[in-house]
Amino acid sequence: MTTAHVPTARPMPTQSTYQARVAEYWNTEENPVNLELGKIDDLYHHHYGIGDADRSVLDEPDPVRRRERITGELHRLEHAQAELLASHLGALSPTDRVFDAGCGRGGGSVVAHLRHGCYTDGATISAKQADFANEQARKRGIDDKVRYHHRNMLDTGFATGAYAASWNNESTMYVELDLLFAEHARLLRRGGRYVVITGCYNDAYGRASREVSLINAHYICDIHPRSAYFRAMARHRLVPVHVQDLTAATIPYWELRSQADHLVTGIEETFLTAYRNGSFQYLLIAADRI
């Protein structure tokens, strides 16, 4: 028997001053690097890309066509990242429910649904993002299975043990890991899969580098050390089954983006320096809830 896909109504939990600032940032954000890429196929990803880039797009002589090709290639790389995450969610059925924590404008939830046929709940602290994502789901005709909620991912109000899988895609740097993983462990059924893709600073390098500090300031976030993920997971019954270093795989994305004059945000060279000097890493961690 399939349970109805109707999470219990719950008002937005009281936020800290910091969370209120983050919500304000995303409620006003209109960055072309997020919006222009999503317009290609109405899949809006709020994360970075992986894989070898087709650098021939930079040789396009027509300036308008060059912009279009660069935008398309960056979107292809970002979509490849979303597909990689979805491929690690485990064996899911169309009756299973999954949770997208910090869903942004919703692209990752759509990818998971299209791949697995599952029900998806996305949560974002931004009311603007939730409204936008729900409208996209309605346009696709999948709003009966893919829904977005204006909620705090640290305290969702969703049913305990209701989810077969859950994930964070580049959103863990906005929260305390113990609070986050406690909520994921509560939401996941025993044996459920949790996946995170995130940037983290490299403990072997030492303390957070200058570049990591600049990234924190740019995105109003607090990047965690690599070790913090594994320690917090262990405290909350999340046991890693797969760890993948995606640092080398994401550098081509940043190299291409740094040459996209119509999309650059000014942080591109900082990311590249941090990846190359070893102070910053891009990781995928998949863990089972025991």
Side-chain angles (χ1 to χ4, degrees), residues 31-286:
N31 198 318
V33 78
N34 291 323
L35 295 174
E36 292 305 312
L37 275 62
K39 289 177 182 177
I40 292 173
D41 56 6
D42 287 332
L43 282 173
Y44 291 82
H45 298 301
H46 280 265
H47 54 73
Y48 311 129
I50 57 168
D52 294 330
D54 178 5
R55 299 184 65 84
S56 71
V57 300
L58 298 171
D59 300 325
E60 172 63 51
D62 179 79
V64 174
R65 178 62 180 152
R66 183 178 188 272
R67 286 164 60 111
E68 291 175 348
R69 290 186 63 191
I70 291 173
T71 301
E73 182 62 5
L74 289 172
H75 184 62
R76 184 185 70 81
L77 296 173
E78 289 190 1
H79 188 74
Q81 192 262 38
E83 288 284 4
L84 177 67
L85 189 154
S87 73
H88 284 279
L89 293 175
L92 298 172
S93 75
T95 58
D96 283 327
R97 292 174 63 186
V98 299
F99 172 51
D100 182 358
C103 62
R105 288 187 173 93
S109 291
V110 175
V111 169
H113 166 70
L114 294 178
R115 186 182 188 95
H116 300 287
C118 53
Y119 291 91
T120 303
D121 283 308
T124 172
I125 206 169
S126 164
K128 181 180 178 181
Q129 287 184 341
D131 290 343
F132 181 93
N134 277 318
E135 179 59 26
Q136 294 301 310
R138 282 191 288 272
K139 287 180 179 179
R140 285 181 175 271
I142 58 174
D143 53 309
D144 59 328
K145 298 198 76 169
V146 178
R147 298 180 183 177
Y148 302 93
H149 311 267
H150 178 216
R151 301 195 185 192
N152 191 325
M153 64 182 172
L154 302 180
D155 183 16
T156 63
F158 297 155
T160 298
Y163 293 87
S166 64
W167 71 91
N168 286 91
N169 198 346
E170 294 183 18
S171 54
T172 54
M173 62 286 297
Y174 289 103
V175 295
E176 296 176 49
L177 293 181
D178 276 306
L179 297 177
L180 176 68
F181 293 157
E183 182 67 349
H184 279 288
R186 184 186 70 80
L187 293 172
L188 287 169
R189 67 193 185 196
R190 188 176 181 89
R193 175 66 55 83
Y194 171 71
V195 181
V196 58
I197 293 182
T198 188
C200 54
Y201 77 76
N202 183 2
D203 303 79
Y205 182 90
R207 301 294 296 172
S209 66
R210 175 179 180 273
E211 290 77 23
V212 170
S213 297
L214 289 172
I215 295 169
N216 279 336
H218 184 86
Y219 289 109
I220 322 176
C221 64
D222 186 15
I223 293 166
H224 304 290
R226 180 180 62 195
S227 60
Y229 285 88
F230 299 98
R231 290 172 179 163
M233 284 182 178
R235 287 192 290 267
H236 297 286
R237 305 182 67 175
L238 296 171
V239 179
V241 294
H242 179 79
V243 180
Q244 188 171 352
D245 186 349
L246 299 174
T247 306
T250 197
I251 286 176
Y253 166 87
W254 286 99
E255 289 175 336
L256 181 60
R257 180 167 145 178
S258 70
Q259 298 185 67
D261 295 340
H262 60 301
L263 297 174
V264 292
T265 62
I267 200 64
E268 288 78 12
E269 290 302 326
T270 302
F271 269 86
L272 285 168
T273 300
Y275 285 137
R276 289 167 178 163
N277 69 23
S279 66
F280 193 50
Q281 293 178 294
Y282 197 50
L283 292 188
L284 179 150
I285 307 169

